[in-house]
């Protein structure tokens, strides 16, 4: 069991930091510790794959802003007016 | 000191669509979002002299947008939240373990989950909805989201993880309702609820 994963050891410690791990927001030793745990634990590995896919699916939801060209024209007109009246 | 108009447009307009998406996520109404974007750019123009040259205009615009939204709406909801995102990460994983046990381990391969995720995102309460949009959809870092929202990074983590957890729970319920969950004997449910 990697020493960097704190008590309680094993799966629970890895699961607690899983989202930070996927965001690569852990310190290097903790990243390595989770890597090592996932390499030897099929259940946690499956969890990591699932959570990573979930985050990817959420990110894929980003929708284009319909008719942003019209909005840009509106903003440009507003900026022109604002510059005219700028003190 | 005169405002460099060309610089303002070249630095801010490339982010218009991202700001508009963020505004829509805040207002959840297209007309209100357009108004909020206009207000954001007007405030940005007025404050352009305070923008640090060489800085990233995107998070700066997001911050203005959020502040404008708060001023316009004057709507705040009281909520209780933990500063410990791990508290939400753990049940989410446990939820997945249970889902795997129920036969939902390969959920993403079985059904199109996007409609369920879209609904789940739309139904997220504030402030969790905004954080999820900022980090997961608009690719801001924890640090950038914290600066935009003027909250500690721990709060961003907590809100983000709770939002993901709520989406995951909705998703798993969606799959179960679609008849994908297995019964205790390992067989698929015979009577799917969802059509």
């Amino acid at each position: 069991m990697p020493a960097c994963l704190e008590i309680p050891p094993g799966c629970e410690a890895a699961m607690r930091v899983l989202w930070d791990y996927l965001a690569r927001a852990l310190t290097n030793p903790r990243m390595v510790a989770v890597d090592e745990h996932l390499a030897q634990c099929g259940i946690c590995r499956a969890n990591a794959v699932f959570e990573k896919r979930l985050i990817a699916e959420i990110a894929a939801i980003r929708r284009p802003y319909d008719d942003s060209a019209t909005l840009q024209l509106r903003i440009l007109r507003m900026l022109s007016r604002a510059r005219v009246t700028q003190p | 000191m005169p405002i460099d108009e060309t610089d303002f447009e070249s630095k801010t307009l490339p982010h218009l669509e991202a700001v508009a998406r963020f505004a829509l996520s805040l207002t959840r109404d297209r007309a209100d979002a357009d108004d909020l974007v206009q207000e954001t750019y007007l405030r940005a123009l007025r404050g352009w002299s305070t923008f640090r040259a060489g800085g990233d205009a995107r998070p700066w615009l997001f911050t203005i947008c959020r502040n404008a939204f708060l001023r316009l709406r004057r709507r705040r909801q009281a909520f209780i939240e933990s500063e410990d995102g791990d508290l939400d990460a753990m049940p989410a994983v446990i939820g997945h373990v249970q889902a795997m046990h129920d036969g939902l381990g390969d959920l993403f391969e079985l059904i199109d989950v996007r409609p369920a995720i879209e609904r789940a995102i739309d139904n997220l309460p504030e402030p969790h909805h905004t954080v999820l949009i900022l980090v997961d959809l608009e690719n801001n870092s924890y640090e950038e989201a914290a600066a935009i929202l003027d909250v500690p990074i721990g709060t961003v983590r907590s809100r983000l993880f709770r939002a993901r957890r709520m989406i995951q729970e909705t998703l798993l319920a969606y799959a179960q309702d679609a008849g994908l969950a297995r019964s205790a004997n390992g067989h698929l449910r015979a009577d799917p609820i969802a059509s």
Side-chain angles (χ1 to χ4, degrees):
Chain A
M1 187 66 230
C4 299
L5 286 179
E6 297 166 358
I7 302 295
C11 298
E12 185 174 342
M15 289 176 184
R16 281 186 182 279
V17 297
L18 186 55
W19 277 330
D20 281 333
Y21 168 81
L22 293 174
R24 308 199 65 77
L26 297 175
T27 60
N28 213 36
R30 298 192 84 195
M31 288 295 297
V32 170
V34 178
D35 275 337
E36 290 176 355
H37 179 77
L38 294 181
Q40 60 186 262
C41 178
I43 294 174
C44 286
R45 197 161 56 244
N47 286 332
V49 169
F50 182 90
E51 300 299 340
K52 188 174 182 180
R53 179 70 183 269
L54 175 68
I55 294 169
E57 292 287 344
I58 292 172
I61 294 298
R62 193 168 86 174
R63 289 162 281 198
Y65 198 78
D66 294 337
D67 203 12
S68 59
T70 300
L71 177 61
Q72 179 161 331
L73 283 175
R74 175 179 166 180
I75 297 300
L76 287 170
R77 281 197 296 269
M78 179 275 297
L79 292 175
S80 295
R81 286 196 303 272
R83 284 174 183 132
V84 168
T85 59
Q86 189 85 30
Chain B
M1 188 173 126
I3 294 174
D4 186 336
E5 299 175 3
T6 308
D7 202 31
F8 176 81
E9 292 178 0
S10 67
K11 287 277 173 41
T12 63
L13 286 181
H15 306 298
L16 177 66
E17 187 165 343
V19 173
R21 283 196 304 268
F22 181 51
L24 183 58
S25 77
L26 292 171
T27 64
R28 308 194 189 198
D29 177 89
R30 173 59 193 251
D32 289 346
D34 283 0
D35 290 345
L36 180 56
V37 173
Q38 178 168 321
E39 180 68 15
T40 298
Y41 273 79
L42 181 59
R43 288 174 185 271
L45 178 67
R46 288 173 179 163
W48 185 234
S49 61
T50 66
F51 178 70
R52 197 179 295 173
D56 185 356
R58 194 169 182 272
W60 182 68
L61 289 166
F62 274 47
T63 302
I64 294 171
C65 182
R66 177 184 175 266
N67 290 338
F69 171 72
L70 290 178
R71 283 192 206 100
L72 290 170
R73 295 291 297 270
R74 298 285 181 205
R75 184 168 63 87
R76 284 192 172 230
Q77 292 179 332
F79 62 93
I80 300 170
E81 64 182 332
S82 160
E83 289 292 316
D84 186 357
D86 299 356
L87 293 178
D88 286 293
M90 191 65 188
V93 175
I94 291 171
H96 176 239
V97 171
Q98 179 62 47
M100 287 176 69
H101 179 263
D102 291 343
L104 295 175
D106 49 358
L107 170 65
F108 297 115
E109 315 308 326
L110 295 173
I111 54 172
D112 178 10
V113 296
R114 293 199 177 180
I117 293 179
E118 283 190 33
R119 279 200 303 276
I121 292 174
D122 287 342
N123 289 331
L124 282 175
E126 291 298 344
H128 306 89
H129 179 262
T130 300
V131 171
L132 184 99
I133 296 291
L134 283 172
V135 177
D136 279 352
L137 275 76
E138 296 297 343
N139 297 320
N140 289 286
S141 65
Y142 292 174
E143 291 81 2
E144 287 170 337
I148 290 167
L149 299 172
D150 194 25
V151 297
I153 288 176
T155 303
V156 168
R157 289 177 69 252
S158 167
R159 292 176 183 176
L160 175 67
F161 291 179
R162 185 160 299 180
R164 287 177 182 168
R165 179 183 160 195
M166 286 189 272
I167 289 175
Q168 179 173 310
E169 288 171 353
T170 301
L171 196 56
L172 295 176
Y174 172 77
Q176 287 166 341
D177 288 350
L180 295 172
R182 293 178 189 280
S183 62
N185 62 8
H187 296 111
L188 284 173
R189 279 184 186 168
D191 56 344
I193 298 168
S195 56

